[in-house]
Amino acid sequence: MRSPLLVLSSFLVFALASTRPSIAGDLDATEAVLDTDGEKLRAGTEYYILPVFRGRGGGLTMASTRDETCPLDVVQDPLEVSEGLPLTFTPVNPKKGVIRVSTDLNIKFSASSICAQSTVWKIQKSVNSEIQWFVTTGGVEGNPGIETITNWFKIEKAGDDYKLAFCPTVCDCGALCRDVGIYIHGNGVRTLSLSDALQPFLVNFKKVGSSSSSL
């Protein structure tokens, strides 16, 4: 009997394989991602992921959005003044200290959780007909390959800003590609999601402890 993970991985390999988000960073994959102070993002350093546009919520955090308490999903804080929870980035090559555009990486909340699962981001198939996938926690850090394909994200350029994307290249398996957007539920919860109907969520990165103003 095939495990649920293998079934999901197989679906990701073949579903929507020819659809890719518009990625401005493809031709400049060596460009370093910069924070709000103009400094290079560093692996293992804590940052806040903040929205470019104000008035639509604050930074990113974890919350229970379904009928079950765990795992916690990745959502935008409803309070504009909130910076959310700090996160760290780990590139596919952990020896690389600088986070670069279009590089596969894990994203992890640097915070404790009421759930037994990890706080590493991954995508999960949605039962909501309006979105195909949503971003949740419980992923695996490292170990790149088809078994962990749901756990890898990228930071891409979007004009002068950045966006998050799911388009893993950790294996030669033609996985689906989508920009990460915000889906607003009927109760106002703003979940990070993947869908053709969503605009990319434009973001910047503020180093924890920085005095730069971004909200």
Side-chain angles (χ1 to χ4, degrees):
M1 180 177 178
R2 301 178 71 188
S3 70
L5 177 58
L6 288 177
V7 172
L8 176 60
S9 297
S10 299
F11 187 84
L12 279 166
V13 169
F14 297 107
L16 306 171
S18 62
T19 306
R20 299 175 63 89
S22 56
I23 294 175
D26 280 343
L27 301 179
D28 193 11
T30 61
E31 179 182 352
V33 179
L34 303 180
D35 64 17
T36 54
D37 292 319
E39 299 181 351
K40 297 177 181 178
L41 254 66
R42 297 282 176 177
T45 298
E46 293 184 339
Y47 296 90
Y48 297 110
I49 298 180
L50 302 173
V52 169
F53 298 111
R54 302 187 181 190
R56 304 178 185 177
L60 303 183
T61 185
M62 298 180 284
S64 176
T65 67
R66 291 168 277 169
D67 293 334
E68 51 194 15
T69 303
C70 296
L72 298 176
D73 301 326
V74 181
V75 303
Q76 184 181 16
D77 196 298
L79 298 177
E80 181 182 347
V81 295
S82 172
E83 294 180 319
L85 296 175
L87 307 102
T88 58
F89 305 96
T90 303
V92 62
N93 182 350
K95 295 182 180 180
K96 300 293 184 180
V98 174
I99 302 299
R100 299 189 178 277
V101 169
S102 302
T103 298
D104 289 293
L105 51 80
N106 293 134
I107 305 176
K108 179 181 180 180
F109 283 111
S110 297
S112 58
S113 168
I114 62 173
C115 300
Q117 292 91 347
S118 75
T119 58
V120 177
W121 289 18
K122 68 175 184 179
I123 66 166
Q124 183 171 321
K125 193 75 176 71
S126 175
V127 297
N128 185 333
S129 61
E130 297 185 62
I131 55 175
Q132 286 90 44
W133 305 84
F134 62 94
V135 183
T136 186
T137 57
V140 176
E141 193 168 16
N143 192 29
I146 192 170
E147 296 83 4
T148 63
I149 197 170
T150 59
N151 307 327
W152 297 96
F153 294 83
K154 291 181 178 180
I155 298 171
E156 303 289 357
K157 286 289 290 183
D160 294 328
D161 304 310
Y162 294 101
K163 62 182 179 180
L164 303 173
F166 177 85
C167 191
T169 52
V170 294
C171 60
D172 187 17
C173 46
L176 75 98
C177 290
R178 287 288 186 278
D179 290 326
V180 176
I182 296 289
Y183 176 75
I184 305 175
H185 297 261
N187 60 2
V189 174
R190 304 172 67 89
T191 304
L192 268 66
S193 306
L194 283 64
S195 171
D196 295 330
L198 298 177
Q199 294 296 315
F201 179 46
L202 301 185
V203 299
N204 52 43
F205 307 94
K206 180 179 178 180
K207 186 176 180 180
V208 173
S210 171
S211 59
S212 63
S213 177
S214 52
L215 276 179

